Amino acid sequence: MNGGPDVSTLPYRSFDAESFRVRRNVLSSCVLGVAGPELRRKGARRKETMTKKVTITNVLVFDGNRLYPPCSVVIDGGVLGEKHEHEGDDTRASSDASPISEVIDGTGHTLLPGLIDCHVRITKADDLDTLARHGITTALDMGAVPRGTSQSISEMARDQKKATTYRSCGVPAIGAASDIARGMLAAARASEADFISDEAGAGAGAGAGAGAGAGAGAEEATSVERHVKDRLADGAHHITAYGDLPGPSQEQLTRLASLARENGKTSIARATHYDGYVRCQSAGFDVLAHVPADRTLALDAAQKLARRGGAATPTLSMMGRMEVMSRRLPQRGARPCDYHHARASVAVLRKAGVPILAGSDSNTAPALRHPHGESLWLELELLVDAGLTPVEALRGATALAARHFGLADRGEIRPGLRADLVLVAGSPCERIEHIRRVRRVWSQGVEINISTGKVK
């Protein structure tokens, strides 16, 4: 069993194991085929590996939406897996002449789509190996500074054939007078950021191309336009902004979300305080990251988010860490950070019908270091503690995550999608902590060494 932090020792961790119980779907035995498209273009070594045909038998299958009784799943390189029939311990091809290279007995195990962490901060390509070891085959990065970092990581990941897919927003939009901007200025890191003018009326921040201040009209709009144009030029997969006050004006946030939508990009706003969260919801962002830690979210605010089809990534594991840090290092004038409000806000979001995504905010920053991989496991456990069923939590790291971030080729186990898979001992659909029992991982049909996170 892979090791992980003892979550029972964390001050914000407390849940009843009985809450993990869910009713299984009573379905007839089934067989699912999984394919990894476009695999033949991935290089000679991958081509050889991918010709291996694998069948996993007698395995519980969580397909990204629901749990199926024991059945078989076929991984067959770049083509669809064919149906196979069970006869005792033997697996016979019903209409397929190609041989089975390996048969894996999945008795007592659950097969899931490769996990998607909807909120990470990657600083080097080797971080992707750590994620792969933990069954995370897609990483959605929410801030890479300075400019050029995300492109560099992407190039290294491609050259080194990293198993985990990396998608980034590049440099996030930051208000020139925000707490984050002040911290970067104090650390002489302002040149790494992309500041835009803010609600407080700060002038041009130290970042390149900062706006001329609140109320500057066309100059404000130009600042937002420039930010989105630069991110598109950098190849950003999504657009991210910090929405807490002091920060960008309401008009700027709305314009940012609108420009992202016009350019086919998912927009994400980060806010840890109630007023900022409501501003971001009103601006029309597709996904709201974090949850309020100073006040529990009101049901009507959550319902507005649900009605317009928005989603939320609570990052509860980070919210808990922030509370711990705020108690250890109190800052004069800092807003309160109470994990109780964050946890309660998740229950409100669920009640309102908002899709809840799983994101860890894992990172290697000295102040709020949060280990890659293990933090997503903890996040899933904390989401269940906050009121989600294990199946709902797992959807947030698979099918729902793929849907809300435009990743149409993954997130589910069904023919035609990428063969990104994780095999775990036990049933995380009943006991979410079983997600820590990773036994085997595949990325695009290639098995990963779970000791190193590299392609076998």
Side-chain angles (χ1 to χ4, degrees):
M1 177 175 176
N2 283 359
D6 181 4
V7 294
S8 64
T9 64
L10 297 177
Y12 51 93
R13 171 77 166 88
S14 172
F15 58 86
D16 179 4
E18 287 302 311
S19 67
F20 296 148
R21 310 300 298 180
V22 294
R23 185 173 58 191
R24 291 186 184 180
N25 295 287
V26 181
L27 300 170
S28 59
S29 181
C30 65
V31 179
L32 301 175
V34 185
E38 302 181 354
L39 300 178
R40 293 190 176 91
R41 295 185 291 168
K42 300 299 180 181
R45 180 183 172 188
R46 282 210 158 201
K47 271 208 268 189
E48 287 178 12
T49 307
M50 234 82 64
T51 57
K52 182 176 181 179
K53 186 171 184 178
V54 178
T55 297
I56 307 169
T57 64
N58 305 312
V59 67
L60 288 167
V61 174
F62 173 72
D63 70 348
N65 296 292
R66 57 181 176 171
L67 180 67
Y68 288 86
C71 58
S72 293
V73 172
V74 177
I75 305 171
D76 190 10
V79 299
L80 293 175
E82 297 292 338
K83 181 175 179 179
H84 291 75
E85 299 172 351
H86 293 289
E87 186 173 283
D89 291 332
D90 184 31
T91 303
R92 301 177 306 156
S94 56
S95 60
D96 184 1
S98 62
I100 303 291
S101 299
E102 182 179 7
V103 176
I104 299 170
D105 183 5
T107 301
H109 292 69
T110 301
L111 190 69
L112 305 92
L115 301 179
I116 300 171
D117 193 330
C118 295
H119 196 122
V120 298
R121 284 177 283 166
I122 301 296
T123 56
K124 58 184 185 301
D126 286 349
D127 292 340
L128 301 174
D129 294 336
T130 303
L131 293 172
R133 288 177 47 235
H134 293 81
I136 300 165
T137 54
T138 301
L140 299 172
D141 182 81
M142 292 298 149
V145 295
R147 186 177 184 182
T149 298
S150 61
Q151 296 98 308
S152 176
I153 293 173
S154 293
E155 291 171 5
M156 292 181 66
R158 182 173 59 252
D159 293 344
Q160 298 174 21
K161 296 182 172 61
K162 297 298 185 184
T164 294
T165 300
Y166 170 78
R167 295 288 183 268
S168 180
C169 66
V171 180
I174 301 173
S178 67
D179 294 339
I180 295 173
R182 287 198 295 269
M184 296 186 79
L185 285 166
R189 295 180 56 208
S191 61
E192 299 179 3
D194 191 18
F195 298 135
I196 60 177
S197 57
D198 53 50
E199 190 79 82
E219 292 188 25
E220 277 194 1
T222 301
S223 177
V224 173
E225 297 270 358
R226 174 196 47 75
H227 175 83
V228 174
K229 182 179 179 180
D230 287 350
R231 299 296 75 76
L232 294 174
D234 293 344
H237 174 264
H238 44 274
I239 304 294
T240 301
Y242 284 85
D244 276 326
L245 287 170
S249 69
Q250 185 69 58
E251 292 74 19
Q252 286 178 310
L253 290 173
T254 300
R255 183 60 177 151
L256 230 119
S258 177
L259 284 172
R261 187 162 47 250
E262 290 173 13
N263 287 280
K265 301 295 182 181
T266 300
S267 59
I268 301 95
R270 305 178 60 173
T272 59
H273 298 108
Y274 193 93
D275 50 5
Y277 202 86
V278 172
R279 282 184 352 120
C280 294
Q281 191 285 123
S282 298
F285 282 88
D286 298 314
V287 179
L288 301 189
H290 311 306
V291 277
D294 56 345
R295 173 184 164 191
T296 301
L297 189 65
L299 181 60
D300 63 340
Q303 289 172 333
K304 290 177 182 177
L305 179 61
R307 280 195 296 269
R308 65 174 182 79
T313 309
T315 68
L316 282 179
S317 57
M318 174 54 75
M319 303 307 292
R321 188 171 290 274
M322 287 172 62
E323 180 189 348
V324 173
M325 289 299 295
S326 67
R327 291 203 306 265
R328 291 178 180 171
L329 301 170
Q331 296 182 3
R332 184 179 302 173
R335 299 189 187 190
C337 184
D338 187 342
Y339 179 78
H340 170 77
H341 290 307
R343 181 178 180 273
S345 292
V346 171
V348 172
L349 288 165
R350 181 177 184 267
K351 183 177 181 179
V354 175
I356 296 175
L357 313 181
S360 65
D361 202 359
S362 61
N363 67 89
T364 57
L368 285 172
R369 190 181 304 273
H370 206 37
H372 291 303
E374 295 175 355
S375 296
L376 185 64
W377 292 346
L378 174 59
E379 182 68 21
L380 293 170
E381 292 170 336
L382 293 177
L383 288 174
V384 171
D385 175 49
L388 276 67
T389 67
V391 166
E392 289 171 339
L394 291 169
R395 285 175 186 152
T398 53
L400 283 179
R403 193 171 307 149
H404 285 275
F405 278 90
L407 301 168
D409 63 344
R410 68 196 73 192
E412 299 182 51
I413 297 178
R414 59 182 173 86
L417 299 192
R418 285 170 52 117
D420 288 0
L421 301 165
V422 55
L423 183 69
V424 302
S427 178
C429 291
E430 294 185 348
R431 299 185 63 87
I432 194 63
E433 66 269 30
H434 287 181
I435 197 64
R436 296 175 177 272
R437 301 178 177 182
V438 173
R439 295 295 180 262
R440 301 179 83 154
V441 179
W442 291 265
S443 172
Q444 289 190 307
V446 179
E447 187 165 6
I448 307 309
N449 185 325
I450 60 173
S451 296
T452 65
K454 299 182 184 300
V455 172
K456 279 188 173 182

